[in-house]
Amino acid sequence: MTVRVRFAPSPTGHLHIGGARTAIYNWAFARHHGGAFVLRIDDTDLERSTDENTAAILRSLRWLGLDWDEGPEAGGDFGPYYQTQRTGTYEPALERMKANGHAYPCFCTAETLETKREASRAEGGFSGYDRTCRNLDPSTVAARIAAGEPHVWRVAVPDDRGDIVIDDLVRGETRFPIDAMDDFILVRTDGSATYNFATVVDDWTMAMTHIIRGDDHLSNTPRQVVVYEALGAEVPTFAHMSMIFGADGKRLSKRHGATSVEAYAEEGFLPEAVLNYLALLGWSLDGETTLFDRETLVREFDLSRVSKSPAVWDPEKLEWMNGSYIREMSTDKFVDTMTPWLERAGFATAADVAARRDWFLSLAPLISERVKRFDEVADKVAFLFEEPTIEDSVRVKILEKDGAARALEAAAEVLATVEFHAEEIEAALRTVPEATGVKPKDAFQAIRVAATGTTVSPPLFESLELLGKERTLARMAAALELVTT
RNA sequence: GGCCCGUUCGUCUAGCGGUUAGGACACCGCCCUCUCAAGGCGGAGAUCACGGGUUCGAAUCCCGUACGGGCUACCA
């Protein structure tokens, strides 16, 4: 049988880091086994679900490079792929369970249930439904329904079934005592399906073979198994992965900073880095390999190597990884990726980049090994696009230092006569320390501050080349004026 | 309360009865060097949550405890 897995986000918000990881594992599992990765939008929470959120989720999945075989905008033979459009399938499923005697109507009101629950919980022990309506006389049941009395439909958990054992692909064999199982509600008074009923019917009718999800659903699994069995459906294989925590050991939330995939995209993270990091957070290839591409992930992914324990989200490691991917990018790709960030900063348009592509290509390697995210690029290249302002403290510390002015004058002089290429610039400037008696470090720092306005910049000679002779000399003259007046 | 899951350096993890407990991020030092990075080399960092077993031998198997998490809704 061919593998079919699904990712079923609820469009009540953007794609969350945790959801993204679940999607990645499902996707990798499907691709590894040559199966189908299905996307279903569980939008039954009408209050909070929005089309904007759905669109954002699709965008984020695509950004990560997770393509789905069936689902919104892809179609498929098992649709519809929006849960709100599948309500028609719950009714026949319920009929099927009724026919088997696996579902029964319950007329108990929410209030009486509440008081009963409190009472039994006070005594300690099982707090589930006491099955009052399970053994109602069939004729009275028929009469009450005919009279239009409000009721829900409950599952009749079999007494003779024995414990429910789940062979979880991540956690191994997990046993749930059957007598702790509640005759939970399948269909509400208003006729709508509850989560545990709806997902089972959806997953069953969509022919899912494996359910890979967060372990917050582990405790729901035995309930769902009961429904599968009552339906006469084949029970899929389950795999429950642990959650992602923040540094404080609490479930990851907004308090811990950016939690949506979109936010990481906007901060200048690369999709391949986010994918790699997320894949590694809770899964290991061999314990040694930390950097791997999409193809390797697909080839090597194995649920048995998914961690059972929760993982703490570590933004620093993600940044390191992103930096690593940036450094490995081709110069061309770096320029392309950098362009929108330059546009956003108002430094250059895509047309500017195209017009002077060679110049940007020589800029790229200077920047790529100095940033961990693309939102740092603008700051690093600013000196090339706008006139620097030298801070007082820097002026005092560097430009007014003994010999600095002398070095600047000498530098300006030699630079004026030279071809403006890094090698020539370097050769010329190397003569300055000896000629002036100023230490190389001090001389170069003075020139750096004059040219870039700061003490930290990309390599000096290359930076000057990019700046060009005219601007370099003008800035040096301006710096000299600053300290000599 | 009941049921279920988890616990190896600060963090992510390897380990699946015999290892000097390995790797990665972060941290520290050295090298490189015009600053910052990047890179190279090295270092520190884990009584494997705790307590009992089983075994010649346990991070690895079993039981218990503690702590953390989940479920226990006419939420998903």
Side-chain angles (χ1 to χ4, degrees):
Chain A
M1 184 167 53
T2 117
V3 163
R4 290 178 58 80
V5 294
R6 48 60 164 187
F7 175 56
S10 182
T12 53
H14 291 192
L15 183 63
H16 186 270
I17 291 298
R21 191 183 57 161
T22 304
I24 291 169
Y25 288 9
N26 273 283
W27 175 84
F29 184 78
R31 292 289 168 266
H32 179 84
H33 292 283
F37 175 54
V38 179
L39 179 62
R40 182 177 75 224
I41 304 297
D42 280 2
D43 55 352
T44 43
D45 185 341
L46 269 17
E47 297 285 305
R48 297 186 299 145
S49 295
T50 67
D51 292 344
E52 292 73 47
N53 286 333
T54 300
I57 288 169
L58 302 190
R59 225 184 300 126
S60 290
L61 288 171
R62 288 202 174 100
W63 183 77
L64 284 168
L66 307 181
D67 55 322
W68 51 98
D69 305 296
E70 298 172 27
E73 299 175 12
D77 297 334
F78 296 84
Y81 294 92
Y82 288 85
Q83 200 168 43
T84 44
Q85 295 169 19
R86 312 194 114 245
T87 49
T89 61
Y90 306 137
E91 179 76 42
L94 179 65
E95 288 307 321
R96 195 169 164 128
M97 288 178 69
K98 286 196 235 175
N100 295 335
H102 289 309
Y104 64 91
C106 171
F107 302 95
C108 298
T109 65
E111 296 75 54
T112 69
L113 290 173
E114 184 56 35
T115 53
K116 279 182 184 177
R117 183 159 41 236
E118 272 169 29
S120 58
R121 200 175 285 208
E123 286 172 36
F126 186 63
S127 61
Y129 179 57
D130 66 1
R131 299 184 172 178
T132 303
C133 295
R134 179 152 166 179
N135 301 310
L136 251 33
D137 188 80
S139 55
T140 43
V141 168
R144 291 173 78 169
I145 288 179
E149 188 173 340
H151 58 280
V152 299
W153 287 88
R154 289 181 181 275
V155 65
V157 174
D159 300 310
D160 54 352
R161 192 209 173 278
D163 292 349
I164 294 176
V165 180
I166 292 154
D167 226 336
D168 193 282
L169 257 27
V170 170
R171 327 194 86 87
E173 189 179 289
T174 308
R175 182 177 298 269
F176 296 86
I178 192 76
D179 48 354
M181 187 74 67
D182 190 16
D183 276 2
F184 61 92
I185 293 169
L186 302 167
V187 174
R188 304 186 184 94
T189 309
D190 67 2
S192 64
T194 59
Y195 168 75
N196 280 128
F197 184 51
T199 27
V200 169
V201 175
D202 287 342
D203 289 336
W204 170 49
T205 52
M206 294 174 101
M208 292 300 132
T209 59
H210 301 259
I211 306 296
I212 304 168
R213 68 213 331 185
D215 76 1
D216 47 338
H217 290 293
L218 185 56
S219 300
N220 282 323
T221 307
R223 277 181 269 280
Q224 296 177 188
V225 167
V226 165
V227 176
Y228 278 107
E229 290 177 347
L231 246 18
E234 193 174 335
V235 181
T237 304
F238 294 96
H240 289 93
M241 44 197 274
S242 58
M243 327 233 67
I244 299 175
F245 286 169
D248 55 0
K250 299 271 165 48
R251 254 173 102 145
L252 199 65
S253 72
K254 301 232 164 49
R255 293 188 59 82
H256 302 101
T259 53
S260 73
V261 170
E262 213 157 53
Y264 285 91
E266 281 164 13
E267 286 175 359
F269 285 89
L270 260 15
E272 42 274 61
V274 174
L275 181 86
N276 189 158
Y277 178 73
L278 241 17
L280 204 59
L281 194 69
W283 175 77
S284 63
L285 198 159
D286 55 12
E288 307 280 303
T289 312
T290 55
L291 262 18
F292 46 80
D293 60 21
R294 187 177 307 278
E295 290 68 38
T296 307
L297 171 62
V298 167
R299 177 163 27 86
E300 302 291 335
F301 187 75
D302 179 1
L303 285 172
S304 72
R305 294 192 67 88
V306 172
S307 170
K308 297 183 194 36
S309 50
V312 173
W313 179 254
D314 180 1
E316 288 198 328
K317 189 162 184 175
L318 205 214
E319 291 210 340
W320 162 78
M321 197 172 273
N322 201 56
S324 163
Y325 274 90
I326 287 176
R327 274 171 257 129
E328 282 175 14
M329 280 176 120
S330 71
T331 308
D332 266 300
K333 190 168 177 221
F334 185 86
V335 169
D336 292 340
T337 310
M338 168 173 72
T339 303
W341 297 91
L342 296 178
E343 292 193 301
R344 187 179 299 194
F347 289 161
T349 64
D352 295 335
V353 175
R356 293 198 297 150
R357 190 158 181 94
D358 285 346
W359 186 85
F360 284 95
L361 284 171
S362 33
L363 168 62
L366 268 39
I367 304 305
S368 65
E369 71 176 31
R370 291 180 170 72
V371 294
K372 289 179 169 163
R373 329 151 161 196
F374 276 88
D375 61 0
E376 299 171 56
V377 166
D379 184 54
K380 291 273 188 294
V381 303
F383 75 95
L384 293 167
F385 299 95
E386 51 189 23
E387 289 306 309
T389 43
I390 299 167
E391 272 180 37
D392 288 348
S393 61
V394 172
R395 189 198 69 228
V396 171
K397 204 172 154 210
I398 306 293
L399 295 183
E400 292 178 2
K401 192 168 182 174
D402 270 357
R406 235 183 311 137
L408 278 179
E409 280 167 2
E413 198 171 314
V414 291
L415 286 177
T417 66
V418 102
E419 271 296 297
F420 239 59
H421 295 299
E423 310 79 58
E424 279 95 311
I425 292 169
E426 174 164 9
L429 291 183
R430 289 283 179 202
T431 67
V432 169
E434 208 177 329
T436 57
V438 178
K439 281 187 288 185
K441 274 181 194 256
D442 293 337
F444 292 140
Q445 273 304 74
I447 299 165
R448 182 191 316 284
V449 167
T452 71
T454 63
T455 56
V456 174
S457 82
L460 184 59
F461 315 123
E462 287 82 352
S463 296
L464 296 187
E465 175 181 337
L466 289 165
L467 241 196
K469 183 185 275 192
E470 195 179 325
R471 285 199 289 169
T472 298
L473 293 177
R475 286 184 188 186
M476 292 178 67
L480 271 170
E481 192 156 338
L482 243 190
V483 294
T484 51
T485 51

